[in-house]
Amino acid sequence: MRRRNLGPWAVFGALSAVFLVMTLDRSALAAFLSALFPREGELLYPRASLVVLVGEHLSLAAISSLLAAAVGIGAGVLATRPGLETFASAAGRLAAVAQTVPPAAVLALAVPAVGFGFAPTVAALFLYSILPIFRNTMSGLAGVDGEVVDAARGLGMGRARILRTVELPLAAPVIVAGLRTAVVVNIGTATVGATIGAGGLGAPIVSGLVNQNPAYLTEGAVAVALLALAVDSLFAAVGKSLATAAPDRAEGSI
Amino acid sequence: MIRFEGVSRKFGEVLAVDGLDLEVFDRELCVLVGPSGSGKSTVLRMVNRLVEPSEGLVFVDGREVGSLKVETLRLGIGYVIQGVGLFPHLTVAANVAVVPELLGWPKGRIARRVGDMLELVGLDPGRYGRRFPFELSGGEAQRVGVARALASDPPILLMDEPFSAVDPVNRLRLQTEFLAIQRTLRKTVVFVTHDVDEAIRLADRVAVLKSGRLIQYDVPETLLERPNSPFIADFVGADRALKRLSRFTVRDWMQPTAGTTDAAIAVDLDASLRDALSTMLGSRARTIRVHDRDHRPAGEIGLQDIERAAECGTR
């Protein structure tokens, strides 16, 4: 009796459509910007097309988020295994410290170590986004009904199988909520990477600020905002369908 | 057969089970009963190694459980717990299929078995198979729990307060149904409860525990007639004669003379004589009608039938 709710998917579809038109149709974008800034001579950021910038931006956010997901989910699983309570509190504190350091500071510190560009930006975003994923994985797994796990053990399932077929599916809505927070924050924060030459949608924003060109700035800012909203709505839709699959557990974060 | 030899279990400084020697006989329903903190659940959980003994040995079919691979041991033992522990993200059918799937049965055999098991516990596979646990009542969930535990046809069944969370009316029905299932399947069952009435009603043999020690282990009739200590006498209560009546069903003692009594009061075929007596006293009738599950008349039962049962020692 699973009901399919298509609402969240429709929101995702609409946002991605707007975003794609903006990215792919340069003349439409130029028309939009000239309507906003009629006295501006140069409307489109000249050094790279939006397609390239979006590509750079997405790889920054995606690579850092994937790394953070691997580490955050892995640590969250370890932290909830019996006998590893000390690890849990240590990892929790470390992740909290990593999130307290502002990404701009990480960038400044990373440049002397690994140089300018892509790598230090990914490192900063990675560090910044471990905490929400780790914390949600932990609380999602801790929230799985102990009786259900007891029944699984009593029926003869091994530890790995219980994790894979019982605990992770039941914790999935909460874990996905953590991923959502991390990825959306990373998409926004990745703009900072432009200050150290990582490219991405931060580049037209920085250039617009430097050259006092509001059209460049708007191009970058609107694209980042739409990208973040589209990805956020994608996670909302995925989270919703997971919550329907495990109906007694509400979707949510901590 | 399950055997405990000098088994103790400590949790920190607390001795939960203290020097237990106990033998659960093949194909018998053994009820472990006692007040809370008596260690009865711990005893049960040591059979499938959810708890390991601090001292002593537990044997299943002559083999020490510690010598077996824990998953292998558990796959051969059905397990039902109080909160049911159904997997909330799986359908009823998938829940029942868990152990056969772990055992690697072919798909067709699993599907047939799931259908059979749901029918056994009185749930229509077509109606219930695709439901999720949150769509079930407490009694239905408990039935699915029993179906899941029996799915791979294990010789042993462990039941930890399986009917405690349902209301009294449904509990009585679940007990009756489970007794009927047990009469056909004849599993070796270890059943934990804190409810003496439930113990007396279901057990082939009752083990009464107190503070981790076994106080008396006997068939219910002996327990009621010859309690070995003031504790047991107190625990089974002053209404021992009534408790004995709860082991007899109306079906076995009624007069199958349908329709001869015009009494308005009726009792179910599967009700216990204790319930029948209570109904009589409540309605001031010396004879009442008996009907079956579908409220069709099946006969009548009188006070003299109950007296006859009370005088008769065994079932």
Side-chain angles (χ1 to χ4, degrees):
Chain A
M1 267 167 243
R2 210 175 285 193
R3 258 175 293 128
R4 282 243 167 269
N5 186 353
L6 294 174
W9 291 105
V11 174
F12 168 64
L15 282 167
S16 349
V18 174
F19 176 72
L20 283 178
V21 168
M22 178 184 179
T23 321
L24 298 175
D25 190 345
R26 288 179 66 84
S27 53
L29 180 61
F32 170 68
L33 290 171
S34 83
L36 277 178
F37 310 106
R39 276 176 299 163
E40 202 59 58
E42 279 204 76
L43 290 167
L44 294 175
Y45 179 65
R47 261 179 280 167
S49 72
L50 260 188
V51 178
V52 173
L53 294 173
V54 166
E56 288 170 354
H57 201 92
L58 274 180
S59 38
L60 281 173
I63 292 172
S64 58
S65 300
L66 281 175
L67 289 173
V71 173
I73 294 176
V77 167
L78 280 181
T80 48
R81 298 307 95 186
L84 289 172
E85 289 81 4
T86 21
F87 170 77
S89 59
R93 250 175 275 143
L94 206 67
V97 169
Q99 211 193 19
T100 315
V101 182
V106 177
L107 286 183
L109 291 172
V111 168
V114 285
F116 286 90
F118 195 78
T121 310
V122 168
L125 296 177
F126 160 72
L127 285 177
Y128 200 60
S129 54
I130 294 176
L131 183 66
I133 299 174
F134 171 70
R135 204 172 43 189
N136 274 41
T137 304
M138 239 179 101
S139 67
L141 289 171
V144 174
D145 188 348
E147 270 177 358
V148 172
V149 176
D150 184 66
R153 288 177 65 207
L155 290 172
M157 286 193 195
R159 277 170 187 274
R161 194 180 198 96
I162 293 175
L163 178 67
R164 190 160 46 79
T165 63
V166 179
E167 291 180 282
L168 285 177
L170 288 175
V174 184
I175 297 176
V176 168
L179 287 172
R180 177 180 176 181
T181 309
V183 173
V184 171
V185 165
N186 275 355
I187 288 175
T189 315
T191 47
V192 179
T195 55
I196 59 164
L201 293 166
I205 297 178
V206 171
S207 168
L209 289 170
V210 172
N211 301 317
Q212 299 194 344
N213 180 329
Y216 293 177
L217 203 146
T218 307
E219 182 184 348
V222 171
V224 167
L226 274 177
L227 185 61
L229 285 172
V231 171
D232 187 58
S233 66
L234 173 64
F235 273 98
V238 171
K240 194 94 184 166
S241 52
L242 283 174
T244 326
D248 68 333
R249 294 174 59 78
E251 165 196 5
S253 172
I254 48 167
Chain B
M1 180 250 288
I2 303 163
R3 199 167 74 245
F4 294 84
E5 282 184 8
V7 171
S8 297
R9 170 68 205 204
K10 267 188 181 168
F11 291 109
E13 286 302 297
V14 184
L15 199 54
V17 177
D18 184 3
L20 176 74
D21 292 302
L22 175 71
E23 193 161 333
V24 178
F25 299 101
D26 263 349
R27 296 173 173 268
E28 275 197 3
L29 199 167
C30 166
V31 175
L32 306 176
V33 65
S36 56
S38 58
K40 51 195 189 298
S41 276
T42 308
V43 172
L44 175 124
R45 291 165 74 86
M46 284 193 288
V47 177
N48 64 356
R49 289 181 61 192
L50 286 171
V51 173
E52 304 276 358
S54 311
E55 251 176 75
L57 298 171
V58 181
F59 295 89
V60 167
D61 283 330
R63 284 192 292 180
E64 202 262 301
V65 292
S67 69
L68 301 168
K69 193 165 171 280
V70 69
E71 277 84 27
T72 317
L73 171 77
R74 289 174 185 162
L75 285 173
I77 299 177
Y79 183 50
V80 188
I81 59 174
Q82 178 181 357
V84 198
L86 293 183
F87 302 121
H89 58 308
L90 301 181
T91 61
V92 165
N95 264 285
V96 177
V98 162
V99 178
E101 265 166 16
L102 289 172
L103 291 169
W105 289 16
K107 281 222 170 349
R109 185 175 169 208
I110 294 178
R112 277 195 306 278
R113 184 69 184 170
V114 167
D116 292 349
M117 284 301 103
L118 288 177
E119 265 166 25
L120 179 73
V121 297
L123 297 175
D124 175 11
R127 268 185 67 197
Y128 285 92
R130 270 176 295 175
R131 289 196 191 176
F132 281 91
F134 80 103
E135 297 170 301
L136 304 175
S137 72
E140 288 165 350
Q142 229 21 284
R143 288 185 175 87
V144 176
V146 172
R148 180 174 69 176
L150 289 170
S152 68
D153 200 18
I156 295 172
L157 201 54
L158 304 179
M159 307 179 80
D160 195 351
E161 306 228 16
F163 307 141
S164 302
V166 288
D167 62 89
V169 175
N170 267 306
R171 191 183 315 153
L172 213 58
R173 272 186 64 184
L174 286 168
Q175 287 169 354
T176 308
E177 289 172 12
F178 179 68
L179 267 183
I181 291 172
Q182 169 62 4
R183 278 197 195 111
T184 30
L185 298 183
R186 282 274 148 212
K187 302 287 180 191
T188 305
V189 184
V190 182
F191 188 111
V192 164
T193 181
H194 61 264
D195 177 354
V196 187
D197 292 321
E198 185 168 70
I200 299 291
R201 181 138 193 258
L202 298 179
D204 292 315
R205 222 172 280 268
V206 183
V208 187
L209 293 138
K210 180 198 175 193
S211 316
R213 307 183 77 106
L214 180 63
I215 308 297
Q216 186 167 0
Y217 184 44
D218 263 312
V219 296
E221 287 77 10
T222 311
L223 196 77
L224 293 168
E225 281 158 30
R226 294 191 295 279
N228 71 1
S229 60
F231 167 75
I232 300 285
D234 198 38
F235 191 67
V236 297
D239 58 342
R240 275 178 268 167
L242 285 176
K243 285 205 169 72
R244 261 190 53 204
L245 285 181
S246 72
R247 291 183 57 78
F248 302 100
T249 59
V250 168
R251 185 191 293 274
D252 296 333
W253 294 88
M254 65 168 198
Q255 309 296 328
T257 46
T260 51
T261 309
D262 53 343
I265 309 302
V267 70
D268 199 276
L269 203 56
D270 288 313
S272 71
L273 289 191
R274 182 184 180 162
D275 299 333
L277 179 64
S278 171
T279 309
M280 284 177 202
L281 293 175
S283 61
R284 295 161 192 274
R286 300 187 65 85
T287 304
I288 55 176
R289 284 190 298 115
V290 177
H291 59 57
D292 64 14
R293 180 62 53 79
D294 303 317
H295 292 272
R296 284 183 304 238
E300 60 179 44
I301 188 159
L303 206 51
Q304 70 281 357
D305 297 316
I306 293 176
E307 281 166 349
R308 208 154 45 83
E311 282 156 22
C312 170
T314 51
R315 253 202 283 207

